[in-house]
Amino acid sequence: MRRTLLRFCFAPAALASLLFTALPAQADRLQEQRRQYDQAMSALNSGQLARYESLARGLSDYPLYPYLLLNALDKRLDSASHREVESFLLTHGDLPAAQRLKSRWLHRLAREGEWERLRTHYDSDSQSASLDCHLALRRWREGDQAGAMRQAQELWTVGRSQPKDCDPLFERWRAAGGLTEDVAWQRIRLALLHRQDALARYLTRYVASNKPLADKFVSTATQPSLLNQPGNYRPSANQPANKLADIVTVSMRRMGRDDPQAALGLWHHYRDLPFAEEDRLAITRDIGVRLAKRFNPDALPFMAANDPQMRDDQVSEWRIRLALRTNQWRMAHDLTQTLPESLAQQSRWRYWQLRSAQLATPNVGELQDDYRQLARERDFYGFMAAERTQQPYALNHQPANIDPQTMARVSQTAGIRRAKEFYARGQVVDARREWYHVSRLFSREELIAQAKLARDMDWYFPAIRNISQAQYWDDLDIRFPMAYREPILNQARARQLNSTWVYAITRQESAFMADARSHAGAMGLMQLMPATARETARRNNIPLGNLNEVLIPERNIALGTAYLAQLNNQFQGNRVLASAAYNAGPGRVRQWTQNIDNLPSDVWIETIPFDETRQYVQSVLSYSVIYGDKLGIRQPVMEQHERYLRGR
């Protein structure tokens, strides 16, 4: 018995010894596989197929092995058997790049007349106008003319040109009488709304019975100033009221986008035309909302007249915002009380219902309980309500509780294993592509587990993205990590900036994606435009050899905080204005603060004309509160000197 006990007592130590022996061997094996994979990919790309096949044979258990198979199949897709392609898609169809290969193959099936196989594999991810046209034409040839005609009309009646693959279908559809003048008019309208003017002009030939009116449609839409001659746009036998309503709708919307004041001046000539409700609301958005964003009080009666029931959310919100900006507190309060339920329950409009009542009647009572209810929300409006009732901020941090079996299952998913291998190889873009692609297949619980995996790797942006996809908002460690703590705190201290603010700006700008690049060209953690980075480096003697150095986290933080300090000084230490300037530029902020006198900052923020900048400022101020808690700093949403604004 003693020998048995000793054997079991020493078994864990023996097992540990075996594990420590195995781990280096596994690491060596993985390094060898990485080298062999690179050689196999190089051989494949250079056409050394025998060498490729020899190298690939030893890689079947390497996570990235499917990429070798994908690339090999892609190179000979036109000659590969259909069964081979089907087998590959069945086994490795979860690869992000597999959809591109599948699309090419589906077009080959259409060329070769493999209709049943095409229908079997055609799905929403593969959908294209070209394939839809091929399938509709096949449907016609199989005897379902009515169904094919309906599909042809749907494919033709769009606001852009369709691919040439659709021409045979459209020719047969036209020959069968499918192209009526009403259908042609509808497409002209769509083309003009999409500013496809050349296409619209071409389409007028299909309105033979009243081509002058179709020509007028195109000429008025492309030159909306023609509406200044209202006598030319009166209903008549050749100008039916419903067709004139179409012409005026498209032309007014174009004029509203370019010169809303001029469009408003002409509206009384045309307001009695029989506009469809959705068209009247679209005109109201394109004229009224644009005027409201310029703080023009004339927009208020216009929006009220054209959307009295508050059916359009954007119009309704800007009616309230313009009332707030023009100090019409009672009107703002009345409007908040008539909002549709979908808006009325949002913390934004719950706040403004209370705040507008307070602004209209400063001594109004019985609001404290309502503010306390709102203060339970963890957002900008909840934090503002907490300050008004002197309550703690409702941070409500609840770490995600993840089942170990779920975590194990997610971590062993092929896409996760490939993403981690790409990440280990330094191929971060490929790693993200895999990580995002596999998340489409996960349940909410699995997305939370995926977020935790990314957070454990200090891979901040994918973690934040996954936890947001899962709509699990309470794990503040995943959503608001203390990333790059040392450089952020050091640079904030050196520039005499509030570290909670620097953290909030960085979190909002890139969610800590170090290699982030925006469509506009902004780069890195703090999303600096190249010209701004160069000028900031020059002003502050920050070394910057080339623009790629902007992506180095420490360099980016040094440049970003230096630029933030510049804006902070420019706007006298007001984080509200400096944050808006960081997003939209200081010139726009100066424009938005003209002719204001002692305006409450919450009103100014709510009426920022750019939706992105409004959300940006609110997020930065609320994120500062959250990072204040993490750093042990009592950070208010707004400091005392930030709560009222004066014109500049």
Side-chain angles (χ1 to χ4, degrees):
M1 170 67 84
R2 181 172 175 78
R3 282 196 303 272
T4 304
L5 285 172
L6 284 173
R7 186 171 70 248
F8 280 98
C9 286
F10 282 99
L15 178 60
S17 176
L18 286 171
L19 284 173
F20 282 120
T21 302
L23 287 174
Q26 290 175 356
D28 289 345
R29 168 69 174 149
L30 184 57
Q31 287 300 326
E32 172 59 24
Q33 284 188 316
R34 288 171 180 165
R35 184 186 65 79
Q36 195 170 333
Y37 172 83
D38 290 340
Q39 290 176 341
M41 192 66 79
S42 177
L44 178 61
N45 291 333
S46 61
Q48 302 175 52
L49 298 185
R51 175 168 167 74
Y52 156 72
E53 290 171 0
S54 173
L55 289 163
R57 276 194 289 272
L59 292 169
S60 59
D61 61 338
Y62 180 57
L64 302 186
Y65 174 67
Y67 278 90
L68 290 174
L69 301 181
L70 173 72
N71 287 354
L73 181 57
D74 188 65
K75 290 180 182 301
R76 55 184 184 82
L77 185 62
D78 289 341
S79 60
S81 73
H82 297 313
R83 286 189 179 277
E84 182 182 359
V85 179
E86 286 173 324
S87 176
F88 176 84
L89 291 173
L90 180 64
T91 308
H92 302 298
D94 62 329
L95 289 172
Q99 187 57 47
R100 183 180 62 83
L101 180 137
K102 180 180 178 182
S103 178
R104 286 182 55 210
W105 177 58
L106 292 177
H107 280 84
R108 176 188 161 191
L109 293 178
R111 290 194 305 271
E112 296 177 1
E114 291 275 353
W115 302 112
E116 290 309 312
R117 189 171 254 125
L118 174 56
R119 288 180 179 128
T120 298
H121 293 280
Y122 195 47
D123 54 28
S124 58
D125 289 337
S126 313
Q127 196 166 7
S128 73
S130 177
L131 289 173
D132 282 338
C133 287
H134 281 301
L135 287 168
L137 188 58
R138 180 62 184 173
R139 184 178 183 182
W140 197 320
R141 289 168 175 162
E142 290 174 344
D144 185 7
Q145 178 176 341
M149 291 271 288
R150 285 193 301 272
Q151 194 171 357
Q153 181 169 322
E154 290 174 6
L155 288 163
W156 191 84
T157 315
V158 295
R160 61 191 180 278
S161 295
Q162 291 286 45
K164 290 188 179 298
D165 284 349
C166 291
D167 289 350
L169 172 68
F170 293 157
E171 288 169 7
R172 178 175 283 208
W173 170 68
R174 283 197 295 269
L179 179 50
T180 66
E181 291 193 1
D182 283 342
V183 171
W185 182 273
Q186 185 180 352
R187 191 178 185 192
I188 291 170
R189 187 182 193 277
L190 290 169
L192 291 170
L193 282 171
H194 287 85
R195 294 191 182 249
Q196 298 292 309
D197 299 339
L199 173 61
R201 194 170 289 110
Y202 169 82
L203 293 169
T204 60
R205 69 188 62 192
Y206 298 117
V207 189
S209 70
N210 200 347
K211 191 170 185 302
L213 188 61
D215 290 336
K216 177 179 272 193
F217 196 175
V218 176
S219 60
T220 308
T222 54
Q223 296 177 273
S225 60
L226 292 173
L227 291 175
N228 282 305
Q229 303 167 26
N232 294 333
Y233 296 88
R234 293 198 178 110
S236 67
N238 293 325
Q239 295 191 152
N242 63 323
K243 293 290 194 289
L244 283 178
D246 282 339
I247 294 173
V248 172
T249 294
V250 175
S251 305
M252 272 285 181
R253 291 187 64 185
R254 282 204 179 186
M255 184 183 286
R257 293 167 193 167
D258 299 331
D259 189 351
Q261 189 69 55
L264 181 64
L266 288 173
W267 175 246
H268 68 279
H269 293 296
Y270 301 104
R271 63 190 176 195
D272 294 328
L273 286 171
F275 297 104
E277 182 183 15
E278 62 185 34
D279 289 337
R280 188 176 290 273
L281 291 176
I283 292 169
T284 307
R285 284 194 300 273
D286 286 332
I287 298 175
V289 171
R290 276 175 169 76
L291 286 173
K293 290 182 176 184
R294 298 178 183 185
F295 315 128
N296 186 327
D298 293 341
L300 280 170
F302 173 76
M303 291 189 289
N306 287 289
D307 187 18
Q309 302 302 316
M310 302 186 83
R311 298 185 185 214
D312 186 278
D313 287 355
Q314 191 180 10
V315 172
S316 300
E317 290 182 326
W318 271 100
R319 286 176 68 184
I320 299 172
R321 288 189 178 114
L322 185 53
L324 290 169
R325 187 57 181 257
T326 54
N327 301 328
Q328 299 184 67
W329 314 123
R330 176 53 59 191
M331 178 189 289
H333 181 65
D334 291 345
L335 289 170
T336 61
Q337 293 186 302
T338 55
L339 283 171
E341 193 70 13
S342 59
L343 291 179
Q345 291 304 310
Q346 294 178 11
S347 59
R348 179 190 306 275
W349 301 116
R350 288 167 60 197
Y351 175 83
W352 283 112
Q353 185 176 53
L354 300 172
R355 186 80 170 101
S356 58
Q358 192 177 46
L359 289 164
T361 312
N363 297 322
V364 68
E366 300 180 2
L367 294 181
Q368 291 299 297
D369 287 345
D370 292 322
Y371 271 128
R372 288 191 189 97
Q373 288 289 325
L374 181 56
R376 297 175 181 174
E377 302 293 333
R378 186 184 51 239
D379 63 9
F380 175 77
Y381 301 99
F383 291 167
M384 292 289 288
E387 289 188 353
R388 293 194 171 277
T389 53
Q390 298 183 337
Q391 287 183 268
Y393 300 121
L395 298 180
N396 303 325
H397 170 52
Q398 292 291 332
N401 185 19
I402 305 164
D403 175 60
Q405 289 183 333
T406 302
M407 180 66 78
R409 183 172 67 253
V410 169
S411 65
Q412 289 305 310
T413 302
I416 295 294
R417 293 179 63 238
R418 291 193 297 264
K420 291 170 80 171
E421 176 58 13
F422 274 132
Y423 189 76
R425 291 168 57 95
Q427 295 173 246
V428 179
V429 173
D430 292 318
R432 277 199 296 264
R433 188 177 294 117
E434 278 281 6
W435 197 268
Y436 300 164
H437 191 73
V438 73
S439 68
R440 302 182 313 158
L441 308 174
F442 284 159
S443 66
R444 183 173 187 262
E445 185 182 13
E446 289 166 337
L447 282 170
I448 297 171
Q450 189 183 13
K452 182 64 167 60
L453 282 173
R455 181 63 187 86
D456 289 346
M457 296 163 60
D458 290 337
W459 203 12
Y460 305 110
F461 182 84
I464 293 168
R465 185 180 188 272
N466 289 144
I467 206 78
S468 299
Q469 285 177 302
Q471 297 188 350
Y472 186 84
W473 309 115
D474 294 335
D475 192 323
L476 302 188
D477 288 339
I478 293 178
R479 290 186 62 210
F480 299 96
M482 297 301 296
Y484 305 100
R485 178 172 182 142
E486 186 175 342
I488 285 178
L489 296 185
N490 288 344
Q491 289 296 331
R493 190 180 306 113
R495 301 292 174 186
Q496 297 183 316
L497 297 173
N498 191 325
S499 57
T500 65
W501 186 36
V502 178
Y503 251 119
I505 290 279
T506 309
R507 167 62 172 79
Q508 175 61 24
E509 285 289 343
S510 68
F512 305 110
M513 184 193 291
D515 62 340
R517 292 178 185 264
S518 75
H519 293 301
M523 303 171 67
L525 289 168
M526 298 188 73
Q527 286 292 276
L528 293 157
M529 293 296 289
T532 302
R534 289 193 190 96
E535 176 61 17
T536 303
R538 185 190 64 78
R539 281 190 179 196
N540 296 274
N541 295 317
I542 298 173
L544 187 64
N546 58 67
L547 278 178
N548 286 332
E549 293 182 4
V550 177
L551 296 175
I552 300 171
E554 292 77 11
R555 192 73 47 81
N556 191 277
I557 293 166
L559 291 166
T561 51
Y563 180 58
L564 196 57
Q566 177 184 324
L567 294 175
N568 192 51
N569 292 334
Q570 188 173 341
F571 291 98
Q572 288 80 52
N574 188 313
R575 293 174 308 132
V576 174
L577 299 179
S579 297
Y582 198 92
N583 177 259
R588 288 197 178 95
V589 173
R590 285 192 292 269
Q591 178 186 343
W592 296 337
T593 52
Q594 286 179 353
N595 304 319
I596 62 173
D597 183 29
N598 215 34
L599 183 72
S601 292
D602 57 351
V603 173
W604 186 84
I605 294 168
E606 190 62 51
T607 57
I608 290 174
F610 290 3
D611 297 339
E612 177 193 322
T613 304
R614 183 186 324 112
Q615 183 58 52
Y616 181 95
V617 172
Q618 292 172 344
S619 294
V620 165
L621 295 175
S622 54
Y623 292 176
S624 294
V625 171
I626 294 170
Y627 275 108
D629 181 75
K630 288 175 169 288
L631 290 165
I633 299 169
R634 177 49 165 85
Q635 175 62 60
V637 182
M638 285 183 271
E639 306 286 357
Q640 192 63 41
H641 70 281
E642 296 170 333
R643 296 184 179 184
Y644 287 86
L645 301 177
R646 296 185 182 277
R648 294 173 181 274

